[in-house]
Amino acid sequence: MNIAIIGAGPRGLSLCERLIAQASINQQSLSLTLIDPYPPGGAIWQTNQPQSLLLNSVTSQVTLFTDETLETGGPINPGPSLYEWAKKDGRNFAKKNQPSLVSEIDKLDPDGHCSRALYGLYQKWFYQQLVETLPPFITFTYLQENAIGLIPKQTHYLLKTDRHSLQSDRVILAVGHHQVLLTEEEDRLNEFARQKGFLYSPPQNAADVDFNKVKGGEHVILRGLGLAFFDYVTRLTTDRGGVFIGSDRLRYIPSGNEPTIIAGSGRGLPYHARGANQKHPTEQILPRFLTTERLRSWQAKGQDQSTEFFFYLQKEMELVYYQRWLSQESEDDQAAFTEQFVRQNGAADVLTDFQIPRQNWLDWRYIFDPYKRKKSQSVRDFLMTYLTWDVTEAAKGNLTSPISSMFELLKDLRDPVRFMLDQQLFSPKALKEKFWQSFVPLNAFLSIGTPLQRIRELIALIEADIVTILGPKMIVEESGTFVAYSACYPQQRYAAKQILEARIQSTDIRRTANPLLRQLLADGIASPHKLYIPKEAPFYTGAIAIDPATSQLLDPNDQIQEGLYCFGIPTEGIHWLTAATAQPGTNAFNLRQADQIAAHCLTSSLLGDRSCLQ
């Protein structure tokens, strides 16, 4: 059997490993072809990118290997986490392949954040292990090329790259983030910049931006305050010679080459800092409300359970918050509180019974919108108070701070969320409004935060007048120059001739600029996924349509394209958090999916008659 995998990032590599492992069970003859214009690791994890760009997960909680927690039935091939690999084999591998990373490996912290380049090197080593340990009945070819076309034939697919054509019985798309077409607004700003001789940079990975075009000493507008924002800020400050001094409270010494950064977003706040890690690599907090029994009971009902789900999700977070608060007082109180809080479904009476002062009760209004705490102070003063509080809570740790522990819990509850999605226990309307439009951005703000160090640095940059953050609802207009301001505080306006979209590309498949994906859509082989909501226009989730049971593509008539699979980021909108790394000892979602796709590829029948598609 010939199988082609398009995309050599962590998902493509995991698919290769799972296919090899599955085929080895019965010594099934297999020819694998892995296709990517970049070396193993793909575009995002290039080993020659600046080491200042950090992986968001801590090094001990990243793996590419399966372990005994895998529940999908495939063979287990254990191996080292990123941190374990670095300490055992990483140094010698780096000396031979990327010497610039040796010093980073020597200082690596299991609870710290490494560079993306080092994670890319781990992926290269993983790929090399696959190649060096191949059984004789499996061949493996790597094509460092662009996949540009796919034609269904009667019994196979004809796959075209920019240099080759090859026949494949199965094709798996694991393309990751890809270039997209500009939105109408982005196109307008880009055209304005072109006419005026200004700078406009569209959304993209910070490693791919030509920051040499950004002029120092001038204003530059950054749109976006998520994870990519901190990459952009780093490239424009310390990567230009600036220096932070101090430890907990930092001071920034400018180089003089920095621009003045004007930044904003819809929420007007950066993501919360990640709590200092206190968890073992495989440690997860088990749910007390969203239990397997409760989820199964909802599954048996087979109807919309969105209201109940989000109520209990909130109670899970409240429970952890109050447990951590009480642990500062008495372990006995914490155990008794937990029992009563769960039994009474988190009723406020429990807080009174345990004499928790009213000022320490969790107020969800301020969690959802911290700006509600802003009084008469300036935006800058409010931000400095808010960011300092955020750093203080994060520094206490993700098992100690009530706030950081509560946010960390959202990571441990991802599987109950995915269960609700997989079992279709949200109505289409709830899926659109409560999940994708409300919960998903809030979850990102609360739990997919940047390393603590980055918020410390941001405070120092604001104090040094290098960074100014606007209030909520950022607006950019063209008025002689670019003009940026907050709709909530329109009197504070900033003019600039440079604007960078400080965010990664959209995952909306309708805007893809990837030639292969565009061809599949144009030829009716693939289609955008949409939700049908009574009395409303269809809601396009941004995902490519797949059969959830097998991950095979669906055409515009919802017909399965046998043998053509999609895995990972293009399915965001059906699946959730497809860009997350796999954590060891947690039955990781990405590895489960890879195992299931591999099993289906190898056990399903060969392609049927496709003459009608020729």
Side-chain angles (χ1 to χ4, degrees), residues 29 352 533 565:
S29 177
T352 303
I533 302 171
Y565 302 80

Side-chain angles (χ1 to χ4, degrees), residues 370-409:
Y371 264 96
K372 289 186 182 298
R373 288 192 183 274
K374 183 180 179 301
K375 306 300 182 183
S376 58
Q377 75 264 51
S378 67
V379 171
R380 176 184 166 126
D381 288 346
F382 166 76
L383 280 166
M384 294 301 286
T385 300
Y386 168 80
L387 293 173
T388 301
W389 165 81
D390 191 43
V391 163
T392 300
E393 289 299 320
K396 293 176 183 176
N398 59 11
L399 290 178
T400 302
S401 161
I403 291 292
S404 290
S405 298
M406 178 177 71
F407 295 162
E408 177 71 18
L409 177 68

Side-chain angles (χ1 to χ4, degrees), residues 25 75 113 158 188 205 217 219 222 247 256 268 287 297 336 374 378 406 419 427 475 506 561 584:
I25 297 173
H113 302 266
L158 179 63
R188 188 189 74 239
N205 178 19
H219 283 181
L222 267 57
S247 53
S297 72
K374 183 180 179 301
S378 67
M406 178 177 71
F419 180 89
S427 69
I475 293 175
S506 166
Q561 303 299 289

Side-chain angles (χ1 to χ4, degrees), residues 187-200 478 480 482:
D187 191 56
R188 188 189 74 239
L189 294 173
N190 185 47
E191 179 60 20
F192 178 75
R194 188 191 65 79
Q195 292 176 359
K196 294 285 189 176
F198 298 162
L199 173 64
Y200 175 82
E478 308 98 293
F482 295 118

Side-chain angles (χ1 to χ4, degrees), residues 163-178:
R163 279 181 274 171
H164 291 91
S165 293
L166 58 149
Q167 294 184 8
S168 294
D169 301 309
R170 308 280 189 270
V171 177
I172 309 173
L173 307 177
V175 295
H177 285 287
H178 45 83

Side-chain angles (χ1 to χ4, degrees), residues 580-593:
T581 55
Q583 182 177 340
T586 63
N587 187 31
F589 175 66
N590 294 340
L591 301 182
R592 295 200 309 260
Q593 277 198 305

